[in-house]
Amino acid sequence: MDTNRLSKTIEEALNAQMTKEAHASQIYLSYASWASDKGFDGIANFLFRHANEERNHMMKVLEYILERGGKAKIVTIPAPDADPTSVQNCFEKVFQSEVDNTTAIYKLVKMSHDEQDWATWNFMQWFVKEQIEEETLAMNLLNKIKIAGGEKASGEALYALDRDLESAPDDAPSAEDATAANPI
Ligand code: OFO
């Protein structure tokens, strides 16, 4: 008796997403390593923490595939692309990588909707919400480097930014939690 509750297409797409989350983790790891090498230990710390988050996302997808009776296929993780050329470029790459991931997640949402696989559709909503947060976080990074002077940021401004990111929270505030008394 076949107990797999995932269609072949959805199982494949979920497996691809699982690898994509692992890839996102590698990307954060490689940028963190680049930042640390350049002496930006605060930025590196922030990026290392995010590498872990992506790894956790990978585990969620993996567990979901197994829970639904599918087979999680562990395959080669593509290598991250080239090192950033500057702090600004690093944050731009982080933002782009998050947007790419959102696009992949939206495809899975659509696919599960089209197939009326409501379990997968519901599972993917966690990722839709998470991506709002991750994109906000990446936008905040871009705002910070812009304020610091962008490509022309002084050593002093970069030093302050680096220190700031060492202790920056991992989660961006959500619009859903905003109130008139406590805007975000
Ligand atoms: Fe950056 O996000 Fe995973 O999903």
Side-chain angles (χ1 to χ4, degrees):
M1 186 180 181
D2 185 9
T3 54
N4 190 346
R5 299 289 291 127
L6 302 169
S7 75
K8 205 172 164 345
T9 331
I10 296 276
E11 187 176 350
E12 268 170 22
L14 283 167
N15 267 291
Q17 188 59 36
M18 177 181 71
T19 307
K20 193 161 177 60
E21 300 291 347
H23 184 215
S25 179
Q26 298 293 89
I27 290 174
Y28 274 108
L29 270 186
S30 77
Y31 296 170
S33 167
W34 169 83
S36 181
D37 185 53
K38 298 286 172 208
F40 297 119
D41 289 338
I43 295 174
N45 184 293
F46 180 87
L47 296 169
F48 276 132
R49 282 184 272 135
H50 277 272
N52 262 355
E53 276 212 19
E54 297 298 349
R55 182 95 186 155
N56 289 341
H57 296 169
M58 178 204 75
M59 283 309 297
K60 285 184 198 302
V61 184
L62 187 150
E63 283 297 340
Y64 178 74
I65 297 170
L66 295 177
E67 189 177 282
R68 299 301 287 156
K71 170 93 169 72
K73 295 187 189 113
I74 310 303
V75 297
T76 311
I77 306 168
D81 61 0
D83 276 350
T85 51
S86 63
V87 172
Q88 171 158 321
N89 180 246
C90 175
F91 293 171
E92 282 168 356
K93 279 163 158 295
V94 164
F95 180 70
Q96 192 53 53
S97 153
E98 289 299 345
V99 171
D100 290 349
N101 200 18
T102 303
T103 305
I105 285 165
Y106 285 1
K107 270 192 197 149
L108 244 162
V109 171
K110 173 149 189 349
M111 210 180 266
S112 52
H113 188 276
D114 290 348
E115 284 199 18
Q116 300 190 14
D117 175 350
W118 305 121
T120 301
W121 184 88
N122 184 57
F123 172 70
M124 290 310 298
Q125 296 311 303
W126 184 90
F127 285 86
V128 170
K129 189 161 189 279
E130 178 70 9
Q131 282 310 111
I132 298 175
E133 218 180 84
E134 305 252 287
E135 287 183 3
T136 305
L137 219 53
M139 280 179 217
N140 290 347
L141 289 180
L142 284 172
N143 285 338
K144 280 180 198 291
I145 186 67
K146 192 170 159 198
I147 292 166
E151 293 290 0
K152 293 199 174 78
S154 66
E156 206 181 329
L158 287 175
Y159 179 77
L161 174 63
D162 186 57
R163 242 191 357 203
D164 190 36
L165 283 178
E166 173 100 53
S167 53
D170 289 334
D171 304 317
S174 163
E176 286 170 19
D177 298 326
T179 62
N182 284 307
I184 292 171

